[in-house]
């Protein structure tokens, strides 16, 4: 089944304790992206990646890092989480940049992060 | 800068009645437009897209959307609402040509009343 898999689904952590949210897709998509969803703000892009070793900032990159060492994986790293990073996070992938005009995103199920 | 407006936080409709969820957009050049649905505790699911061609786009679960270039709108519609359609709906826009960022609206909660 074509899918984007995020782990963990739920995470409660303390301020300053480094954490990683994993994201993996099995559709051979070159494009992957991270979003955070907050009430009243919709989805805001954190980082995106056009291909292996190619990443760029989205709208709200502060406090986050990403890496893209393999096509299928795109982990989101919070080096020193703070309470304002409490949010619902989504990873997505698509055929963007692969010559197709099917730009629909496939989203993961989300990671609900609470930083106390 | 491109943007998407979903003017209604919530839309209430009786089961069996037609529904409309509104979306207007702003983007340079020709728009690529999308609708996604999010059920509770789930990720977003792709419903439909407009790239070019017919202004009426048909998608999943009986939904359709009408592209209106002059009004820069892309409203989501369904002829007969089901209780199971109750969810959060997001409109999104992307410019055409090369890599373009996708911008999402803030979402509209659809409540279908039995």
């Amino acid at each position: 089944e074509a899918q984007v898999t995020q782990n963990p689904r739920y995470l409660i952590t303390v301020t300053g304790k480094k954490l990683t949210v994993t994201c993996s897709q099995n559709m051979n998509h070159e494009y992957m992206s991270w979003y955070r969803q907050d009430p009243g703000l919709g989805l805001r892009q954190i980082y995106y990646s056009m291909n292996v070793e190619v990443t760029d900032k989205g709208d709200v990159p502060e406090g986050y890092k990403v890496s893209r060492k393999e096509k299928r994986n795109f982990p989101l790293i919070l080096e020193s989480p703070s309470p304002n990073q409490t949010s619902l996070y989504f990873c997505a992938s698509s055929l963007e940049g692969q010559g197709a005009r099917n730009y629909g995103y496939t989203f993961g199920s989300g990671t609900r992060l609470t930083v106390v | 800068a491109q943007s998407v407006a979903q003017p209604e936080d919530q839309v209430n409709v009786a089961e069996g009645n037609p529904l409309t969820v509104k979306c207007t957009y702003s983007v340079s050049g020709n728009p690529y437009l999308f609708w996604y649905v999010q059920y509770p505790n789930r990720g977003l699911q792709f419903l439909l897209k407009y790239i070019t061609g017919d202004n009426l786009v048909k998608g999943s679960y009986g939904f359709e959307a009408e592209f209106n270039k002059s009004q820069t709108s892309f409203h989501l519609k369904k002829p007969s609402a089901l209780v199971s359609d109750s969810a959060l709906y997001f409109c999104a826009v992307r410019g055409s040509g090369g890599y373009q960022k996708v911008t999402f609206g803030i979402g509209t909660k659809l409540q279908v009343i039995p």
Side-chain angles (χ1 to χ4, degrees):
Chain A
E1 180 188 354
Q3 60 185 358
V4 175
T5 303
Q6 288 179 236
N7 281 296
R9 288 292 306 275
Y10 301 92
L11 180 59
I12 301 174
T13 190
V14 296
T15 299
K17 185 177 181 181
K18 181 179 178 179
L19 66 92
T20 299
V21 183
T22 63
C23 174
S24 180
Q25 51 91 7
N26 62 1
M27 296 166 282
N28 202 35
H29 287 170
E30 293 180 354
Y31 181 85
M32 298 184 75
S33 182
W34 276 103
Y35 290 85
R36 60 177 289 174
Q37 182 181 9
D38 301 289
L41 297 176
L43 273 77
R44 293 180 292 168
Q45 189 181 50
I46 303 171
Y47 269 94
Y48 67 93
S49 170
M50 293 297 293
N51 210 331
V52 175
E53 302 293 1
V54 181
T55 63
D56 207 349
K57 296 176 181 179
D59 297 317
V60 288
E62 294 78 21
Y64 304 94
K65 284 176 55 178
V66 293
S67 69
R68 188 87 181 275
K69 292 181 169 51
E70 308 165 280
K71 183 183 279 191
R72 64 183 293 123
N73 296 324
F74 190 44
L76 180 69
I77 303 156
L78 284 72
E79 294 269 3
S80 182
S82 62
N84 65 11
Q85 292 179 298
T86 292
S87 186
L88 180 57
Y89 291 86
F90 288 103
C91 181
S93 72
S94 81
L95 286 167
E96 176 79 55
Q98 291 178 260
R101 299 182 78 190
N102 180 6
Y103 298 114
Y105 282 15
T106 301
F107 282 86
S109 298
T111 296
R112 187 167 292 281
L113 172 66
T114 302
V115 183
V116 298
Chain B
Q2 63 192 40
S3 64
V4 175
Q6 292 182 244
E8 303 152 316
D9 289 337
Q10 181 159 333
V11 170
N12 296 321
V13 63
E15 186 177 24
N17 282 3
L19 70 87
T20 299
V21 182
K22 295 179 180 178
C23 171
T24 59
Y25 66 90
S26 174
V27 69
S28 297
N30 294 321
Y32 294 166
L33 295 153
F34 309 85
W35 277 100
Y36 290 84
V37 60
Q38 184 181 30
Y39 298 101
N41 301 314
R42 301 286 296 275
L44 280 73
Q45 297 177 33
F46 173 77
L47 269 182
L48 52 80
K49 69 179 186 293
Y50 170 84
I51 301 294
T52 188
D54 290 342
N55 290 341
L56 187 64
V57 180
K58 294 191 182 299
S60 307
Y61 313 121
F63 284 94
E64 56 190 25
E66 187 170 11
F67 171 64
N68 187 315
K69 188 173 183 177
S70 63
Q71 296 186 2
T72 60
S73 67
F74 190 56
H75 301 330
L76 181 70
K77 301 182 179 185
K78 187 173 183 182
S80 179
L82 300 172
V83 172
S84 57
D85 293 330
S86 299
L88 188 58
Y89 290 81
F90 289 92
C91 182
V93 68
R94 175 195 184 279
S96 57
Y99 168 70
Q100 299 281 337
K101 190 181 79 168
V102 174
T103 299
F104 287 83
I106 64 171
T108 298
K109 183 178 180 181
L110 174 66
Q111 190 75 38
V112 180
I113 303 161

